[in-house]
């Protein structure tokens, strides 16, 4: 459950960024962490990126990029191209992630960045904590064009 966090000062780690509201959430159960993001490239247009999330995104550099928007079948193909895909299938006795739900999320994020390419420059949802029962976005960033 999300609750408004205590009052805050402007985050000085990002120049010229105005933080309008912050939320805090109770600690979550473990699951497979996935990142889904999108950006508008000046040459290629809207792009969607999917990868192993959380701290793994930087450590493993396991991600796939494709032009947005994508449908559920294309999202599934993107997931299958990840080196960490086996984690989503239920590795070492863990339950498999709800892949259909994850593909629907990837599809919707890709549609968001594609449909709003004139007003958004970036969308980043990292991590999505994925289990067999649910997929939960823990953190997200949406950057508007200036």
């Amino acid at each position: 459950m999300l609750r408004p966090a205590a009052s805050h000062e402007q985050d000085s780690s990002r120049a010229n960024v105005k933080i309008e509201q912050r939320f805090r959430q109770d600690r979550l159960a473990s699951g497979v962490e996935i990142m889904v993001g999108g950006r508008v490239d000046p040459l290629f247009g809207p792009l969607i990126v999917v990868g192993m999330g959380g701290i793994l995104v930087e450590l493993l550099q396991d991600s796939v990029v494709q032009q947005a928007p994508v449908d559920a079948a294309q999202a599934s193909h993107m997931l299958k191209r990840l080196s960490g895909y086996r984690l989503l299938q239920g590795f070492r006795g863990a339950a498999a992630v709800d892949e259909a739900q994850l593909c629907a999320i990837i599809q919707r994020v890709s549609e968001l960045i594609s449909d709003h390419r004139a007003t958004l420059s970036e969308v980043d949802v990292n991590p999505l904590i994925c289990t067999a029962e649910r997929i939960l976005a823990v953190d997200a960033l949406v950057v508007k064009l200036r």
Side-chain angles (χ1 to χ4, degrees):
M1 175 179 211
L2 291 176
R3 292 184 295 272
S7 64
H8 57 278
E9 296 296 322
Q10 175 114 359
D11 184 350
S12 61
S13 67
R14 293 183 184 261
N16 300 322
V17 173
K18 180 184 175 195
I19 298 175
E20 295 179 9
Q21 192 166 10
R22 290 185 185 185
F23 295 93
R24 73 176 184 88
Q25 182 170 334
D26 296 332
R27 184 152 175 81
L28 303 171
S30 62
V32 179
E33 294 187 4
I34 295 291
M35 67 83 55
V36 177
R39 71 183 189 95
V40 180
D41 183 86
L43 184 60
F44 296 106
L47 301 172
I48 184 78
V49 61
V50 176
M52 301 310 296
I55 63 168
L56 296 177
V57 71
E58 295 174 19
L59 178 66
L60 300 179
Q61 297 180 2
D62 185 13
S63 61
V64 176
V65 178
Q66 190 164 317
Q67 285 187 301
V70 297
D71 60 25
Q74 291 168 312
S76 178
H77 182 70
M78 291 177 76
L79 290 173
K80 290 174 181 163
R81 291 173 46 204
L82 295 173
S83 298
Y85 177 68
R86 287 181 52 205
L87 292 171
L88 298 172
Q89 296 178 302
F91 188 72
R92 288 192 158 196
V97 165
D98 184 345
E99 191 174 326
Q101 184 181 7
L102 181 55
C103 289
I105 292 168
I106 295 166
Q107 179 179 352
R108 288 193 300 266
V109 172
S110 79
E111 291 167 349
L112 175 70
I113 196 69
S114 180
D115 291 349
H116 297 279
R117 69 185 88 182
T119 57
L120 297 179
S121 66
E122 180 182 347
V123 174
D124 183 27
V125 184
N126 184 26
L128 286 166
I129 297 184
C130 306
T131 68
E133 294 81 31
R134 68 180 186 169
I135 298 177
L136 187 63
V138 176
D139 194 13
L141 173 70
V142 178
V143 179
K144 295 192 290 187
L145 282 175
R146 295 194 168 132

